[in-house]
């Protein structure tokens, strides 16, 4: 059991949430609300109506739960990787790219069980565009905060309501994390020239940023469906009968291009987020394993990788 990875992953994940949350809010609003026609227009309207606070709606809940979800991803990935190496009798040899791909997919799928409730609360609060700065608007707020939102969902929709959108979330994170790790392995191998040399900080951050963008390229279509199912019926009658109906109706009404509607902002957010996550992860991991002397430069073998929240 790799306890260090649990701790380092939790802290790194929290840092990533803080850095990327404003753009995540813009992404969710563009995906679910037609009054927002683009990133620039959404940013301006959010600032004018809600102020800077509008970009951070719903952040407290995922920030408090990210340590749990990150631990599941990190722990599942690292232990799954180790089990596969043991199965082929090569416990101390570098992991293959196929093992990295499969372990990443398992880690992404595993986190769904603990991530789904926090994710739906985050999305619901992010899409609550009314401002609480004026008394009249305050009366229109459906959710007064993360806890009230969580309790309201359970009261109105039951415990199953907390897992609405869990299927597209699973279909998003499984392939996305698998792609992420495979991309990181490839970029790291290329930058190290296929050797076991240490990568400079800039190399680690660049590899993480590129891998994060690749992961979101794969995950964005299911991210759109997830957000729409999570918001379905909140502001009016329900439009979708389930996952497949949501996919079909979305494609029929808006065309296939809608599944990549937020790809640009996802990639824009993923690059700095994953740079920060990898920087934090490597520094903390080096410190916890070897003390202060272990943070001079991260030792990143191209086939012995660690996950991050992309």
């Amino acid at each position: 059991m790799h306890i260090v990875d649990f701790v380092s992953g939790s802290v790194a994940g929290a840092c990533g949430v803080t850095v990327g949350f404003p753009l995540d809010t813009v992404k969710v609003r563009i995906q679910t609300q037609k009054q927002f026609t683009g990133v620039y227009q959404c940013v301006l309207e959010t600032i004018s109506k809600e102020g800077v606070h509008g970009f951070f709606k719903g952040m407290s809940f995922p920030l408090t739960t990210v340590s749990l979800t990150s631990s599941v991803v990190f722990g599942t990935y690292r232990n799954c990787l180790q089990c596969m190496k043991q199965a082929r009798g090569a416990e101390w040899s570098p992991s293959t790219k196929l093992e990295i791909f499969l372990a990443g997919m398992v880690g992404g799928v595993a986190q769904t069980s603990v991530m789904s409730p926090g994710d739906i609360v985050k999305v619901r609060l992010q899409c609550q565009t009314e401002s609480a700065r004026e008394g009249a608007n305050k009366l229109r707020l459906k959710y007064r905060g993360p806890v009230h939102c969580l309790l309201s969902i359970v009261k109105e929709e039951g415990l199953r309501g907390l897992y609405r959108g869990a299927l597209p979330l699973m279909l998003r994170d499984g392939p996305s994390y698998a792609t992420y790790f495979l991309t990181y392995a490839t970029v790291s191998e290329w930058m190290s020239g296929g050797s076991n040399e240490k990568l400079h900080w800039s190399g680690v951050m660049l590899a993480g940023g590129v891998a994060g963008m690749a992961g979101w390229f794969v995950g964005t279509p299911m991210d759109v469906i997830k957000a729409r199912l999570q918001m379905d019926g909140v502001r009016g009658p329900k439009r979708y009968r389930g996952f497949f109906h949501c996919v079909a109706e979305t494609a029929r009404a808006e065309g296939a291009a809608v599944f990549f509607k937020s790809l640009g902002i996802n990639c824009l957010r993923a690059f700095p987020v994953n740079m920060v996550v990898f920087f934090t992860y490597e520094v903390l991991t080096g410190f916890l394993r070897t003390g202060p002397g272990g943070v001079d430069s991260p030792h990143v073998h191209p086939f012995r990788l660690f996950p991050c929240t992309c």
Side-chain angles (χ1 to χ4, degrees):
M1 187 69 68
H2 300 272
I3 303 300
V4 170
D5 295 281
F6 281 75
V7 177
S8 300
S10 298
V11 177
C15 291
V17 169
T18 304
V19 171
F21 203 84
L23 286 177
D24 185 66
T25 297
V26 174
K27 174 207 73 173
V28 170
R29 292 184 175 188
I30 290 174
Q31 289 177 336
T32 60
Q33 301 181 39
K34 293 184 178 180
Q35 70 263 34
F36 299 118
T37 57
V39 175
Y40 185 68
Q41 182 262 344
C42 182
V43 170
L44 289 182
E45 189 167 335
T46 299
I47 291 177
S48 64
K49 291 185 177 181
E50 305 167 65
V52 177
H53 170 72
F55 295 105
F56 293 92
K57 284 184 175 179
M59 189 179 80
S60 59
F61 196 73
L63 195 61
T64 56
T65 59
V66 72
S67 58
L68 179 59
T69 59
S70 294
S71 293
V72 171
V73 175
F74 276 64
T76 301
Y77 171 79
R78 292 286 289 130
N79 287 283
C80 184
L81 207 59
Q82 192 68 20
C83 287
M84 285 190 288
K85 289 197 295 183
Q86 290 176 348
R88 63 181 173 91
E91 185 175 353
W92 300 106
S93 66
S95 299
T96 66
K97 287 185 177 181
L98 178 60
E99 289 172 341
I100 292 169
F101 184 88
L102 294 176
M105 181 172 288
V106 173
V109 171
Q111 74 161 351
T112 304
S113 60
V114 293
M115 182 181 183
S116 188
D119 190 67
I120 192 171
V121 169
K122 173 185 76 70
V123 169
R124 293 279 178 93
L125 291 175
Q126 286 175 321
C127 291
Q128 189 167 258
T129 57
E130 299 85 5
S131 174
R133 293 183 296 178
E134 299 179 10
N137 283 336
K138 190 172 183 178
L139 296 176
R140 300 205 309 266
L141 293 176
K142 181 176 177 64
Y143 305 117
R144 296 191 296 270
V147 176
H148 180 253
C149 180
L150 183 70
L151 295 177
S152 296
I153 294 173
V154 173
K155 180 180 179 181
E156 297 170 5
E157 307 172 44
L159 290 176
R160 289 184 60 184
L162 296 177
Y163 290 89
R164 186 194 291 192
L167 177 58
L169 178 63
M170 186 182 302
L171 294 176
R172 181 197 75 175
D173 286 350
S176 180
Y177 272 96
T179 302
Y180 171 84
F181 293 126
L182 182 60
T183 302
Y184 187 77
T186 303
V187 175
S188 297
E189 181 184 17
W190 174 72
M191 287 192 296
S192 66
S195 66
N196 195 23
E197 297 295 325
K198 294 181 179 180
L199 287 182
H200 189 266
W201 290 118
S202 59
V204 173
M205 296 170 75
L206 177 62
V210 172
M213 293 173 66
W216 273 112
F217 184 83
V218 173
T220 292
M222 284 298 103
D223 191 52
V224 173
I225 298 301
K226 174 193 72 71
R228 295 195 173 196
L229 286 174
Q230 289 173 330
M231 286 299 299
D232 190 31
V234 176
R235 294 174 174 271
K238 294 189 67 173
R239 297 178 54 193
Y240 310 117
R241 295 192 296 270
F243 170 74
F244 294 105
H245 182 252
C246 181
V247 173
E249 183 64 20
T250 298
R252 184 195 64 80
E254 303 175 60
V258 70
F259 295 110
F260 293 94
K261 186 176 181 179
S262 56
L263 177 60
I265 193 168
N266 275 337
C267 290
L268 181 64
R269 180 177 66 93
F271 196 87
V273 165
N274 285 283
M275 287 176 64
V276 170
V277 169
F278 259 86
F279 178 82
T280 305
Y281 177 84
E282 293 292 353
V283 169
L284 190 55
T285 299
F287 179 81
L288 292 175
R289 283 180 173 160
T290 61
V295 300
D296 293 337
S297 179
H299 188 277
V300 184
H301 190 281
F303 300 101
R304 188 174 180 275
L305 309 173
F306 310 99
C308 88
T309 49
C310 53

